[in-house]
PDB file of all heavy atoms in Angstrom:
ATOM      1  N   LEU A 113     119.597  95.381  97.291  1.00  0.00           N
ATOM      2  CA  LEU A 113     118.724  96.267  96.511  1.00  0.00           C
ATOM      3  C   LEU A 113     117.550  95.468  95.929  1.00  0.00           C
ATOM      4  O   LEU A 113     116.398  95.900  95.993  1.00  0.00           O
ATOM      5  CB  LEU A 113     119.522  96.938  95.386  1.00  0.00           C
ATOM      6  CG  LEU A 113     118.699  97.744  94.381  1.00  0.00           C
ATOM      7  CD1 LEU A 113     117.964  98.902  95.062  1.00  0.00           C
ATOM      8  CD2 LEU A 113     119.604  98.283  93.259  1.00  0.00           C
ATOM      9  N   ALA A 114     117.852  94.291  95.390  1.00  0.00           N
ATOM     10  CA  ALA A 114     116.770  93.459  94.834  1.00  0.00           C
ATOM     11  C   ALA A 114     115.747  93.134  95.927  1.00  0.00           C
ATOM     12  O   ALA A 114     114.532  93.166  95.696  1.00  0.00           O
ATOM     13  CB  ALA A 114     117.344  92.185  94.225  1.00  0.00           C
ATOM     14  N   MET A 115     116.256  92.850  97.140  1.00  0.00           N
ATOM     15  CA  MET A 115     115.332  92.503  98.239  1.00  0.00           C
ATOM     16  C   MET A 115     114.560  93.716  98.749  1.00  0.00           C
ATOM     17  O   MET A 115     113.527  93.549  99.390  1.00  0.00           O
ATOM     18  CB  MET A 115     116.100  91.854  99.390  1.00  0.00           C
ATOM     19  CG  MET A 115     116.616  90.468  99.043  1.00  0.00           C
ATOM     20  SD  MET A 115     117.276  89.572 100.469  1.00  0.00           S
ATOM     21  CE  MET A 115     118.759  90.481 100.829  1.00  0.00           C
ATOM     22  N   MET A 116     115.042  94.927  98.485  1.00  0.00           N
ATOM     23  CA  MET A 116     114.275  96.124  98.867  1.00  0.00           C
ATOM     24  C   MET A 116     113.086  96.322  97.936  1.00  0.00           C
ATOM     25  O   MET A 116     112.162  97.056  98.257  1.00  0.00           O
ATOM     26  CB  MET A 116     115.159  97.375  98.797  1.00  0.00           C
ATOM     27  CG  MET A 116     116.093  97.531  99.956  1.00  0.00           C
ATOM     28  SD  MET A 116     116.968  99.099  99.750  1.00  0.00           S
ATOM     29  CE  MET A 116     118.625  98.569 100.045  1.00  0.00           C
ATOM     30  N   CYS A 117     113.159  95.720  96.742  1.00  0.00           N
ATOM     31  CA  CYS A 117     112.020  95.801  95.820  1.00  0.00           C
ATOM     32  C   CYS A 117     110.911  94.882  96.351  1.00  0.00           C
ATOM     33  O   CYS A 117     111.120  94.113  97.284  1.00  0.00           O
ATOM     34  CB  CYS A 117     112.458  95.394  94.422  1.00  0.00           C
ATOM     35  SG  CYS A 117     113.774  96.472  93.754  1.00  0.00           S
ATOM     36  N   ASP A 118     109.730  94.947  95.723  1.00  0.00           N
ATOM     37  CA  ASP A 118     108.606  94.207  96.302  1.00  0.00           C
ATOM     38  C   ASP A 118     108.661  92.724  95.980  1.00  0.00           C
ATOM     39  O   ASP A 118     108.243  91.906  96.779  1.00  0.00           O
ATOM     40  CB  ASP A 118     107.295  94.845  95.853  1.00  0.00           C
ATOM     41  CG  ASP A 118     107.226  96.251  96.404  1.00  0.00           C
ATOM     42  OD1 ASP A 118     107.533  96.431  97.598  1.00  0.00           O
ATOM     43  OD2 ASP A 118     106.939  97.183  95.647  1.00  0.00           O
ATOM     44  N   PHE A 119     109.101  92.399  94.786  1.00  0.00           N
ATOM     45  CA  PHE A 119     109.424  90.996  94.514  1.00  0.00           C
ATOM     46  C   PHE A 119     110.439  90.929  93.393  1.00  0.00           C
ATOM     47  O   PHE A 119     110.663  91.915  92.683  1.00  0.00           O
ATOM     48  CB  PHE A 119     108.179  90.126  94.255  1.00  0.00           C
ATOM     49  CG  PHE A 119     107.353  90.465  93.045  1.00  0.00           C
ATOM     50  CD1 PHE A 119     107.505  89.777  91.852  1.00  0.00           C
ATOM     51  CD2 PHE A 119     106.377  91.452  93.116  1.00  0.00           C
ATOM     52  CE1 PHE A 119     106.709  90.072  90.749  1.00  0.00           C
ATOM     53  CE2 PHE A 119     105.572  91.754  92.017  1.00  0.00           C
ATOM     54  CZ  PHE A 119     105.742  91.062  90.830  1.00  0.00           C
ATOM     55  N   ILE A 120     111.040  89.741  93.303  1.00  0.00           N
ATOM     56  CA  ILE A 120     112.140  89.559  92.354  1.00  0.00           C
ATOM     57  C   ILE A 120     111.722  88.533  91.304  1.00  0.00           C
ATOM     58  O   ILE A 120     111.287  87.433  91.645  1.00  0.00           O
ATOM     59  CB  ILE A 120     113.402  89.044  93.073  1.00  0.00           C
ATOM     60  CG1 ILE A 120     113.839  90.008  94.186  1.00  0.00           C
ATOM     61  CG2 ILE A 120     114.541  88.829  92.064  1.00  0.00           C
ATOM     62  CD1 ILE A 120     114.963  89.458  95.087  1.00  0.00           C
ATOM     63  N   ILE A 121     111.880  88.926  90.039  1.00  0.00           N
ATOM     64  CA  ILE A 121     111.765  87.961  88.945  1.00  0.00           C
ATOM     65  C   ILE A 121     113.189  87.732  88.450  1.00  0.00           C
ATOM     66  O   ILE A 121     113.923  88.692  88.178  1.00  0.00           O
ATOM     67  CB  ILE A 121     110.858  88.498  87.824  1.00  0.00           C
ATOM     68  CG1 ILE A 121     109.443  88.740  88.367  1.00  0.00           C
ATOM     69  CG2 ILE A 121     110.835  87.522  86.644  1.00  0.00           C
ATOM     70  CD1 ILE A 121     108.462  89.282  87.346  1.00  0.00           C
ATOM     71  N   ALA A 122     113.579  86.468  88.391  1.00  0.00           N
ATOM     72  CA  ALA A 122     114.978  86.160  88.066  1.00  0.00           C
ATOM     73  C   ALA A 122     115.097  85.507  86.702  1.00  0.00           C
ATOM     74  O   ALA A 122     114.258  84.680  86.315  1.00  0.00           O
ATOM     75  CB  ALA A 122     115.565  85.234  89.132  1.00  0.00           C
ATOM     76  N   ALA A 123     116.162  85.855  85.996  1.00  0.00           N
ATOM     77  CA  ALA A 123     116.566  85.089  84.822  1.00  0.00           C
ATOM     78  C   ALA A 123     117.252  83.821  85.310  1.00  0.00           C
ATOM     79  O   ALA A 123     117.767  83.779  86.441  1.00  0.00           O
ATOM     80  CB  ALA A 123     117.532  85.913  83.982  1.00  0.00           C
ATOM     81  N   ASP A 124     117.283  82.814  84.441  1.00  0.00           N
ATOM     82  CA  ASP A 124     117.934  81.554  84.858  1.00  0.00           C
ATOM     83  C   ASP A 124     119.445  81.733  85.039  1.00  0.00           C
ATOM     84  O   ASP A 124     120.119  80.841  85.546  1.00  0.00           O
ATOM     85  CB  ASP A 124     117.612  80.407  83.879  1.00  0.00           C
ATOM     86  CG  ASP A 124     117.887  80.767  82.433  1.00  0.00           C
ATOM     87  OD1 ASP A 124     118.461  81.862  82.168  1.00  0.00           O
ATOM     88  OD2 ASP A 124     117.531  79.973  81.543  1.00  0.00           O
TER      89      ASP A 124
END
Side-chain angles (χ1 to χ4, degrees):
L113 172 61
M115 290 190 290
M116 282 183 228
C117 300
D118 296 315
F119 64 98
I120 302 171
I121 299 180
D124 51 7

